[in-house]
Amino acid sequence: MFEQFSHFFQILFTLCTDPSNLAVLFGASIMGIIFGSMPGLTATLGVALLTSLTYQFDTSTALIALLGLYVGAIYGGSYPAILLNIPGTPAAAATAMDGHPMAKRGEGGRALGLTTTASMIGTIIGLLFLVILAPVIATLALQFTSWEFFLLALFGILISGTLASSDMVVKGWIAGLIGLFLATVGRDALQFYPRYTFESSFLDSGLEIVPVLIAAFGIPQIIRVLSERQNLASNMQFGRVLPELSTLVRNAKHIFRSACIGVGIGSVPGVGEDIAGWVSYSTAKNTSKPEEQAKFGKGSETAIVSSETANNACIGGALIPLLSLGIPGSPPAAMLLGALLLHGVVPGPTIEVDHPGFLLEVTAIMIMASFAMWANGMLLAKQVVKLLYVPTPLFMPLIAVLCILGSYSLGLNLFNLYIMIPIGIAAYVLGEYKFPISPLVIGLVLGGMADESLRRALMLSDGSFLPMLQRPVALLLLVVIVYFVLAQIPAAKRAMRRLNPFIKTNKSLTTVN
């Protein structure tokens, strides 16, 4: 343990004492805050665009840039949420409920100070869970075979489809299956057989993840923002930014509970920071005293602290399955997975074997990123807010150019642009019909693992599924998946409700006997 701490502080000291690292970190953090603060831009899109720019960087510098932007963007969404009642990112939607009423009272600076500090605390608590849980999960995952990895990937796709869908659950599953299908394009990794390549050599290696993600998240956002023509200009008093220590102490229990909620939700594949913020907001309201509950929706400091702590703690939670199992916990984490693969780092149970000290390095970078976010938030809040007065339609053409450059720069390949446009338009159409995009992304990312694991397992068992039922962990995962699917089907739910009284009666008779 002492050796681990010593190694961690050694890595932290090395990273902190390099001026170029600090320049990249603070620059990426400011860029993330700008991305988060501009309605229509998201943390996922920011990470996607920056991934293509960091292709020439070494892995450590690229991670500093990407994680700095990720943390900054999740926090940056609180700016327009508080000052304009327009969440810059979905993660900040819950913050707008009470942040904007507080800003209308002339306490916009105080609200931003609370979100900044709560975000930093949430990120650090999330990291503690990451350091403690990731090695344990990775050790357990080393016992997994192809059956477990296939079922785990399938579970991730199904649960992300269920939780990310705002309409019908089946729409989330369909989006996940579309992503799964896209992952099968190209020659398969085991027998090198071409699938859906239409005899095109460009499709032999499959679809590049980064251009598809840029298309899926970038193009729909650009179309929506330009079509809505939002006017963000507004005049409002700002006030003091630095929060009082007594406020943080008074909300200590809400901060800790919200951090735990954020980590728990973040570790579920595909759910994301927005759901963490809403769940934490609701929990804080339900567990508060009646007089505090009455303040919710009217500028409650407890509500702001709870939602912001949870959405930033979600980052650490999302990194737990990403680094230990290779399964992203949120859309930005999915993009981060693509970036790691680009730099030759394959997340999973053997990551500490292939890259010793990688987990500690990520933790050190995240701590630096959270402090950079806090410093930027405190020092530059008033200046960054001025960006909100720039008409959004002027920003979006610039973002469109960055999307095109980001896709093209990956191997200087024009084919990336050819696939980006139709996928982007298809994602926009799916979004208009309430099909969530996150499951599609998770399906694309996990599809390769699901496909390869299932085919390998079937090859080893001569096409028999029986070995899957003979492994306890695989059987448990299968039962969870079947139960999870049945629980979403109305007919199955009605059947379960009818069976409940029968089961209770049988239990009572057994007890009496």
Side-chain angles (χ1 to χ4, degrees):
M1 181 65 78
F2 178 76
E3 188 180 347
Q4 287 284 90
F5 271 106
S6 174
H7 191 199
F8 168 74
F9 284 111
Q10 188 181 354
I11 293 172
L12 187 62
F13 180 77
T14 305
L15 292 173
C16 287
T17 51
D18 188 335
S20 62
N21 284 340
L22 294 179
V24 170
L25 176 68
F26 278 87
S29 177
I30 293 173
M31 193 185 300
I33 293 173
I34 293 173
F35 257 85
S37 65
M38 292 301 297
L41 306 184
T42 62
T44 309
L45 181 59
V47 176
L49 292 176
L50 193 60
T51 295
S52 54
L53 299 178
T54 60
Y55 186 60
Q56 301 298 330
F57 292 5
D58 62 80
T59 306
S60 181
T61 309
L63 274 176
I64 290 172
L66 292 167
L67 291 175
L69 186 141
Y70 185 4
V71 174
I74 296 299
Y75 153 72
S78 62
Y79 281 69
I82 290 171
L83 298 176
L84 306 172
N85 202 26
I86 301 172
T89 60
T95 307
M97 293 283 289
D98 286 79
H100 189 61
M102 189 180 279
K104 286 169 71 176
R105 295 201 304 254
E107 298 179 60
R110 181 166 175 261
L112 279 178
L114 282 173
T115 60
T116 308
T117 308
S119 296
M120 184 187 72
I121 295 172
T123 306
I124 292 175
I125 293 177
L127 287 176
L128 289 176
F129 281 94
L130 171 67
V131 172
I132 295 169
L133 294 181
V136 177
I137 295 174
T139 304
L140 291 174
L142 283 174
Q143 311 302 319
F144 285 11
T145 64
S146 297
W147 290 114
E148 283 85 2
F149 278 113
F150 161 68
L151 291 169
L152 205 57
L154 185 63
F155 177 70
I157 294 169
L158 288 174
I159 196 170
S160 68
T162 303
L163 298 179
S165 179
S166 60
D167 191 4
M168 297 168 64
V169 172
V170 70
K171 289 185 176 180
W173 292 349
I174 291 173
L177 291 176
I178 292 174
L180 191 59
F181 164 72
L182 292 176
T184 62
V185 174
R187 291 185 180 273
D188 80 276
L190 298 179
Q191 295 175 308
F192 213 56
Y193 186 80
R195 298 179 299 185
Y196 313 112
T197 58
F198 305 103
E199 299 183 353
S200 168
S201 59
F202 292 110
L203 288 172
D204 275 353
S205 56
L207 298 177
E208 290 274 4
I209 290 178
V210 174
V212 172
L213 294 188
I214 290 177
F217 286 103
I219 291 179
Q221 291 284 17
I222 292 168
I223 295 173
R224 284 192 197 102
V225 172
L226 288 178
S227 61
E228 290 171 4
R229 293 181 176 275
Q230 297 167 343
N231 182 18
L232 305 181
S234 173
N235 292 315
M236 191 171 289
Q237 290 184 349
F238 202 73
R240 167 189 165 135
V241 177
L242 193 66
E244 304 87 357
L245 182 61
S246 59
T247 305
L248 298 175
V249 172
R250 194 164 53 244
N251 289 286
K253 66 176 183 181
H254 296 291
I255 290 174
F256 181 75
R257 186 186 54 234
S258 301
C260 293
I261 291 173
V263 170
I265 291 178
S267 61
V268 179
V271 181
E273 293 81 4
D274 48 341
I275 294 176
W278 281 115
V279 171
S280 179
Y281 181 94
S282 174
T283 306
K285 185 177 181 180
N286 291 332
T287 56
S288 294
K289 295 176 180 176
E291 57 269 25
E292 184 59 37
Q293 283 185 4
K295 295 178 184 175
F296 274 65
K298 300 173 184 173
S300 165
E301 60 185 29
T302 300
I304 295 174
V305 166
S306 299
S307 59
E308 279 299 312
T309 303
N311 64 29
N312 268 71
C314 192
I315 298 174
L319 292 179
I320 293 172
L322 172 66
L323 296 179
S324 57
L325 300 172
I327 297 175
S330 68
M335 196 57 248
L336 204 58
L337 173 60
L340 289 173
L341 294 174
L342 272 180
H343 287 277
V345 178
V346 182
T350 61
I351 192 167
E352 277 297 305
V353 178
D354 300 332
H355 305 276
F358 186 79
L359 193 60
L360 292 178
E361 185 178 358
V362 169
T363 307
I365 292 172
M366 286 289 287
I367 286 179
M368 290 169 59
S370 61
F371 277 104
M373 174 209 70
W374 187 84
N376 285 331
M378 288 296 164
L379 296 175
L380 304 176
K382 292 182 180 178
Q383 282 66 39
V384 174
V385 166
K386 291 176 183 173
L387 285 172
L388 299 175
Y389 293 85
V390 178
T392 306
L394 291 181
F395 255 93
M396 300 321 287
L398 174 64
I399 298 305
V401 172
L402 289 175
C403 285
I404 293 171
L405 290 177
S407 295
Y408 176 69
S409 62
L410 287 173
L412 302 179
N413 191 353
L414 270 178
F415 186 71
N416 289 341
L417 300 183
Y418 298 152
I419 63 171
M420 192 182 89
I421 302 299
I423 289 176
I425 294 173
Y428 172 74
V429 173
L430 286 172
E432 290 298 296
Y433 285 96
K434 308 291 183 189
F435 283 85
I437 300 303
S438 299
L440 187 148
V441 172
I442 299 294
L444 174 66
V445 172
L446 296 182
M449 184 170 91
D451 174 45
E452 191 178 331
S453 298
L454 177 62
R455 286 164 53 78
R456 181 181 290 113
L458 288 174
M459 288 168 71
L460 292 173
S461 64
D462 293 327
S464 171
F465 281 90
L466 189 60
M468 180 170 66
L469 305 177
Q470 295 171 337
R471 296 187 57 81
V473 177
L475 191 59
L476 177 65
L477 283 169
L478 186 63
V479 169
V480 171
I481 289 172
V482 171
Y483 175 79
F484 194 75
V485 171
L486 290 178
Q488 308 304 322
I489 299 173
K493 283 197 283 190
R494 284 195 295 272
M496 287 180 190
R497 278 198 293 269
R498 288 193 197 103
L499 282 174
N500 271 342
F502 176 74
I503 294 171
K504 286 178 182 175
T505 306
N506 273 354
K507 279 184 179 177
S508 302
L509 289 172
T510 306
T511 306
V512 171
N513 290 335

